[in-house]
Amino acid sequence: MKKMIMSLLLFLGVLSASAQAEQKGTTEYVFQPHWYLMLQGGGQYTLGEGKFKDLFSPNAQVALGYNFSKVVGLRLSVNAWQSKGAIELKGDDYGIKSDFKDKWAYKYVAPSLELTFNLSNLVSGFNPKRVFNLYAFVGGGANIAFSNKDAQDVYPRYTSYIASAGNYAYDTRQNMDYLWDGTKVNAFGKGGLIFDFRVSDKVSINIEGNANILSDKYNSKKAGNADWYFNALAGVKINLGKTYTTKFTPAPEPEVRYVEKVVEKIVEVPAKVEVKPVEKIRRDIFFTINSFKVRDTEQDKIKDIADYLQAHPNAKVEVTGYADAGTGNNRINDRLAKQRADVVVKALTNQYNIAADRISYDSKGSRVQPFAENDLNRVTICIAE
């Protein structure tokens, strides 16, 4: 029983090894255009004169994108929540003992269209199994701001403070000459980077940083330069379809190399002896290693078979090719044995005009060895009767 179990395990091991051998090759990943959805949340810093904590706001973004190729894609994103503004005036600059500090927040929605570039694929080639991918993007859209009531409430306190300064010139970098009410629409440009970490073929986690530039009128202050806000976001990306397919290319069969013996046994054939005609004739035509060319010393044997067939019109011949089991493998030896049989058949039909229906032929490869001595099995055996 133990021997049977061991034999079964050995057999299964051989099958497993054979299956693995059959699977050797290369797998190529082929990119597939696809849609994806991104959901992100984080914070925003609106560039201004106040402290960082006074200009920091919550932020959210949703995006729908399409990757046209392994490098280039297009993304429609909607970024929203709120931005902030602040003023900090030093009383010493105005001849006033007290300083003036105030801040305000306002809402916005900012849809934008962006070109995306997978820098990892651009540099290292397409690999859907890569854990980390770096993206860059650039685009623009419309920032729709509203609910600016906080700035409206700050403005009277600001003007009162400036009025108390008398004839002192107020700071032109922080005046509220661009105060707006209702809804304010500004075109903006956007650019940034995305750090994407693969979880599966469908899902990845990302961290995004983007910078947004708008006109000077965004935060209600007239400063003579563009306004900016910066977003830091984290979220999830969901692929809405196949991102790739696989193409398997089997490995080429290794070239079989073997060393031919330096000294090859020379088979000496006894001199032809005149004998009385018999009903059967056999001739063994020997070949050199890895060859199916009939040597000059073997040509007479084919002629003997042809003469016999011509002398006996009803006789037929059986031609069988062999290869030696000491060299090569079954694939090579099967081919050699067939070629050795074919070359004799062609000589009989083409050179000696023997009818093809009088010839039957076969090849045994190295699976059958007619001679005990290995070198003699590189042979074609012809039996005519």
Side-chain angles (χ1 to χ4, degrees), residues 13-32:
V14 171
L15 287 180
S16 176
S18 300
Q20 291 177 6
E22 291 176 358
Q23 293 300 317
K24 287 183 179 179
T26 57
T27 299
E28 177 185 355
Y29 296 114
V30 181
F31 174 83
Q32 294 293 310

Side-chain angles (χ1 to χ4, degrees), residues 49-50 124 218 247 270 326 346 371:
E49 286 70 35
S124 303
Y218 180 60
K247 178 181 178 183
K346 288 179 181 178
F371 296 101

Side-chain angles (χ1 to χ4, degrees), residues 296-372:
D296 293 341
T297 56
E298 305 297 299
Q299 292 287 352
D300 285 346
K301 297 178 182 179
I302 300 177
K303 186 176 183 301
D304 289 345
I305 297 296
D307 290 343
Y308 179 90
L309 293 172
Q310 289 168 351
H312 302 82
N314 294 325
K316 295 185 177 181
V317 62
E318 183 178 340
V319 179
T320 307
Y322 299 86
D324 69 283
T327 57
N329 55 40
N330 283 336
R331 181 173 61 85
I332 294 174
N333 291 337
D334 287 346
R335 172 174 52 81
L336 278 172
K338 183 179 183 302
Q339 291 171 327
R340 286 167 179 166
D342 288 345
V343 73
V344 174
V345 171
K346 288 179 181 178
L348 290 172
T349 56
N350 298 339
Q351 188 174 346
Y352 296 103
N353 298 318
I354 303 300
D357 60 0
R358 300 180 65 191
I359 305 171
S360 62
Y361 66 95
D362 193 8
S363 61
K364 302 294 186 182
S366 58
R367 295 173 176 81
V368 177
Q369 300 288 272
F371 296 101

Side-chain angles (χ1 to χ4, degrees), residues 251-272:
E253 293 187 11
E255 182 181 356
V256 178
R257 296 181 179 273
Y258 54 88
V259 179
E260 188 171 346
K261 294 180 180 179
V262 176
V263 179
E264 182 175 338
K265 179 179 178 65
I266 299 176
V267 180
E268 294 187 5
V269 181
K272 186 176 179 181

Side-chain angles (χ1 to χ4, degrees), residues 39-61:
L39 303 172
Q40 300 166 299
Q44 178 186 112
Y45 171 69
T46 311
L47 188 64
E49 286 70 35
K51 294 180 180 179
F52 179 83
K53 65 182 182 65
D54 293 333
L55 296 172
F56 185 79
S57 306
N59 190 250
Q61 182 168 277

Side-chain angles (χ1 to χ4, degrees), residues 10 37 59 69 132 135 175 213 216 222 291 297-298 312 343-344 385:
L10 179 60
L37 177 68
N59 190 250
S69 71
F132 170 72
Y135 292 82
N175 72 78
I213 183 171
D216 189 26
K222 182 178 180 180
S291 173
T297 56
E298 305 297 299
H312 302 82
V343 73
V344 174
E385 58 180 329

